[in-house]
Amino acid sequence: MLLAIDVGNTNTTIGLFEGHNLKYHWFFSTDVNKTSDEIGILFISLFQHINEDIRSVKDVIICSVVPPVMNSLIGAVRKYMQRNPIIVGPGTKTGINIRYENPRDVGADKIVNAVSAVRLYGAPVIVVDFGTATTFCAINGNRDYLGGVICPGIMISAEALFEKASKLPRVEIANPLGVIGRNTVASIQSGLFYGYIGQVEYIVAKIKEEMKEDNIKVVATGGLARLIASQCRCVDEINTLLTLEGLREIYYLNAR
């Protein structure tokens, strides 16, 4: 058994692998205030719920973009699983060549997604991650991570509109089923939904122009991928578990 943990700014995704097969996965809100004991009790509850022995976990691998969580999370893994987790970071074998000006600046989740996308869909590939931020990562045919684009996520944009425009309400992110809104809520939903579709299609097109390669696949992941990317003509694949599958691949490259 391998436990893979992806800590994002908004949500934390946990996956339990048996060999190469993902048996279970869970999504939780990321909470920087949880203690190691609270996290440990959560682990125990999850394993009791699926009738598995927590001691059956051979190893743990963690990818995180939230440093304040790590002390408690690592402490929980060590205390409740008696395992010293692998942390994805500088020095981790990935099979990807990072061509960023400063490779240490690349978020661990972006590298994990790149590894997973290349493994599952081949290279060249563009990964669009609909998370707290919407990010685009470009990997060429030589498996070089070239860089990418970082935009405010759709939830951030919706919240900013609510906070800065006094008469506009907070709305649910949804497909309005038409561009022309007939009321304020529908108009905001239309602007968010179709605005992000347009953003994705334009940025992907510009990235492809700069990459100058043929047959570039576009893979979408993240919490809102199915809602937004399903309407983007440029997206070839949607895989909301891309990061967990990338963690599995990186684990086997670094297995102790």
Side-chain angles (χ1 to χ4, degrees):
M1 293 282 195
L2 169 68
L3 193 70
I5 305 173
D6 168 33
V7 184
N9 288 294
T10 303
N11 294 315
T12 295
T13 309
I14 301 174
L16 183 64
F17 289 91
E18 184 171 26
H20 285 272
N21 299 317
L22 181 62
K23 290 191 67 176
Y24 305 98
H25 64 276
W26 304 272
F27 299 95
F28 298 95
S29 296
T30 300
D31 186 350
V32 298
N33 297 311
K34 281 194 179 298
T35 66
S36 58
D37 287 324
E38 288 175 307
I39 297 171
I41 291 169
L42 171 63
F43 287 149
I44 291 173
S45 298
L46 289 177
F47 277 81
Q48 287 177 341
H49 178 70
I50 60 175
N51 295 316
E52 294 280 0
D53 187 348
I54 197 170
R55 292 171 296 181
S56 64
V57 173
K58 176 185 176 184
D59 224 332
V60 180
I61 185 166
I62 301 172
C63 160
S64 174
V65 296
V66 189
V69 170
M70 293 305 290
N71 187 51
S72 293
L73 179 56
I74 293 171
V77 170
R78 289 172 174 167
K79 181 176 181 179
Y80 290 89
M81 297 184 187
Q82 286 81 54
R83 296 291 181 264
N84 196 33
I86 296 173
I87 311 298
V88 177
T92 305
K93 295 177 184 177
T94 62
I96 298 290
N97 306 308
I98 303 174
R99 302 304 184 193
Y100 225 54
E101 289 181 0
N102 184 355
R104 292 177 179 269
D105 287 345
V106 183
D109 57 335
K110 296 183 180 66
I111 299 303
V112 174
N113 284 341
V115 170
S116 186
V118 169
R119 170 71 176 80
L120 294 173
Y121 307 107
V125 64
I126 298 169
V127 180
V128 187
D129 188 348
F130 294 90
T132 305
T134 300
T135 62
F136 301 74
C137 299
I139 303 96
N140 68 14
N142 294 323
R143 299 190 173 190
D144 297 327
Y145 180 94
L146 303 176
V149 178
I150 302 174
C151 308
I154 192 169
M155 297 298 295
I156 290 176
S157 296
E159 196 64 22
L161 195 62
F162 168 72
E163 290 180 356
K164 299 299 181 181
S166 57
K167 287 192 173 183
L168 297 183
R170 182 183 278 119
V171 302
E172 177 189 5
I173 305 300
N175 184 344
L177 302 178
V179 177
I180 301 174
R182 300 296 298 276
N183 56 62
T184 302
V185 170
S187 297
I188 295 172
Q189 289 176 328
S190 178
L192 291 168
F193 185 76
Y194 292 107
Y196 267 80
I197 290 172
Q199 180 187 73
V200 170
E201 292 187 343
Y202 184 80
I203 290 176
V204 166
K206 297 299 288 184
I207 291 174
K208 286 184 174 181
E209 280 182 25
E210 290 190 18
M211 289 178 71
K212 297 182 175 67
E213 296 193 55
D214 296 324
N215 302 317
I216 302 173
K217 278 228 170 188
V218 179
V219 180
T221 190
L224 289 170
R226 295 202 181 279
L227 176 64
I228 306 298
S230 61
Q231 302 299 313
C232 296
R233 290 169 292 181
C234 63
V235 173
D236 300 302
E237 302 284 349
I238 298 174
N239 185 342
T240 57
L241 300 176
L242 190 72
T243 313
L244 288 183
E245 294 178 6
L247 284 171
R248 176 199 61 200
E249 295 304 316
I250 290 176
Y251 170 75
Y252 283 107
L253 286 172
N254 295 269
R256 294 172 290 205

